[in-house]
Every structure is written in C-alpha cells, then in structure tokens.
Amino acid sequence: MPDGRQALLRAATLAFSNDGFDGADIRSISIAAGVSPNLVRIHFGSKAELWEACLDLIVTATTPVIDEVGKLSRQSDRPFYERLSNLITTVANFYAVHPEVRDFVFHHGSDAPERAVMVTERLLRPAYEACRSLFAAGIEAGIVRSSHPALFFSLLNGAVGQPPAFPAMLNRLAPDIDVEEARRRMAETVVASLLHRAA
C-alpha cells in the first residue's frame, strides 16, 4: 500500500502533535489512517521510529519558510522595520497552514531528552538561527524591545502560533471580525504591538 505510509504519517503527526508521545497510541493512529496497525511495524518498525519520521515530515514542511526567513534577514538593503514586519507575516502565514508544527514543538520540545534534543537541533535551532541576526539588529536599532533575540523569537512564535480554532473563537468574542480575516488581522496586530518604529 504505497498510500498507507503517507496516511500513517499524516495521522501520526496529528496524534503526536495533539497528544504527545505517550498519549498517542498505534491503534488509534492506524484507525485514523484507515490502515492496519501492522503497517506501522512494516513501514516504521516502532512507535519511536514513527515519531522520527513525523519529525522528518515537519522539518521538510518548515524548511522553505526557514529559508525565506533567512533571506529576509540577509536583505541588508531593506529597512529593519520592513524586514521584521515581513518576517512576522511570513511566520503567521506558515502557522495558519501548519498548526500541527506549533503543537508538535510544544509537546516534544521539552519531552524526553532524546526527543527534545532532536526537536531543538533539527527544528528550533535552524529556525532561530535564520532570524537571530535580524532580531539582534532590530534590538540594537530600538525597533524590537527585548533584551535578547531568543526571547523575541519565543514571544513571536507564541503570538502568531494560534490554534486552528482561533478564528472562530475570536469571531465569537468580536462578531465584527470576520473568520476569514482573523489571522491576517492578528498578524497585523502582532506587528503593531511588537515592533516600534525608530525615532
């Protein structure tokens, strides 16, 4: 079943993102994927190897946005504020399409040491290094009010990494904010709140 592996990966990524490593079980993942539990052993060998394959999938999904952020950081001919604003919008758009990434990192970034190290080294560190120099320059210019680029990186990801239900929840609080506009308006609010134009 060539599609069985991909179905398992999709279902397992959601399960590990929502329930963590210990909370996700092979039987439920197999049912969600519509395949036999035996396929996990055939394709991946074990739950731990399935988890690593899910991390590979997430790294593949994040690589283009990390590359884009890196390019923004290196565009020294553009103003800091403009590049930082574009970066925030880029990251917000990514999370809108890939909410599972935020949840996967949340569950496994402080999980068992071996998984936490893999998430940090393969996902968090490359993402941070792609924008660290731009954040540091923004801090020096007074556009970013933070004492360290890593603090701003964490704050930004928390601010724009809203859950999938965010647009509907916001609409219930403020019916005048259309569900389709919620994520765009949140990104604009994050830019306005976190960035300060140089005096």
Side-chain angles (χ1 to χ4, degrees), residues 69-116:
V69 164
K71 287 177 186 171
L72 281 168
S73 293
R74 293 187 298 273
Q75 290 176 345
S76 56
D77 57 322
R78 293 176 61 199
F80 289 135
Y81 187 96
E82 183 182 316
R83 286 189 283 155
L84 286 161
S85 177
N86 288 163
L87 187 149
I88 290 171
T89 302
T90 297
V91 175
N93 290 340
F94 172 79
Y95 278 126
V97 177
H98 297 283
E100 74 282 0
V101 172
R102 181 213 59 220
D103 295 333
F104 194 93
V105 171
F106 173 77
H107 278 293
H108 306 291
S110 59
D111 199 353
E114 65 276 9
R115 288 190 293 277

Side-chain angles (χ1 to χ4, degrees), residues 51-52 54-56 58-59 62 66 101-128 153:
W51 181 88
E52 285 189 46
C54 292
L55 177 59
D56 290 342
I58 286 177
V59 168
T62 57
I66 289 173
V101 172
R102 181 213 59 220
D103 295 333
F104 194 93
V105 171
F106 173 77
H107 278 293
H108 306 291
S110 59
D111 199 353
E114 65 276 9
R115 288 190 293 277
V117 167
M118 281 193 274
V119 168
T120 300
E121 296 306 319
R122 297 196 55 211
L123 198 58
L124 288 176
R125 193 175 307 284
Y128 174 59
F153 175 81

Side-chain angles (χ1 to χ4, degrees), residues 21-44:
F21 185 83
D22 293 330
D25 67 276
I26 298 300
R27 181 171 171 73
S28 298
I29 290 168
S30 301
I31 290 169
V35 299
S36 165
N38 292 341
L39 278 184
V40 173
R41 186 173 36 78
I42 291 168
H43 287 299
F44 303 101

Side-chain angles (χ1 to χ4, degrees), residues 65 68-70 72-73 78-96 130-131 134-135 138 143-145 152-162 183-196:
V65 76
E68 189 174 344
V69 164
L72 281 168
S73 293
R78 293 176 61 199
F80 289 135
Y81 187 96
E82 183 182 316
R83 286 189 283 155
L84 286 161
S85 177
N86 288 163
L87 187 149
I88 290 171
T89 302
T90 297
V91 175
N93 290 340
F94 172 79
Y95 278 126
C131 56
L134 180 58
F135 290 171
I143 297 169
V144 173
R145 305 273 173 85
F152 188 73
F153 175 81
S154 299
L155 177 64
L156 172 60
N157 280 280
V160 297
Q162 297 295 319
R183 291 194 182 276
R184 179 187 62 77
R185 291 185 65 177
M186 173 56 80
E188 290 172 353
T189 300
V190 171
V191 168
S193 300
L194 297 186
L195 301 185
H196 308 269

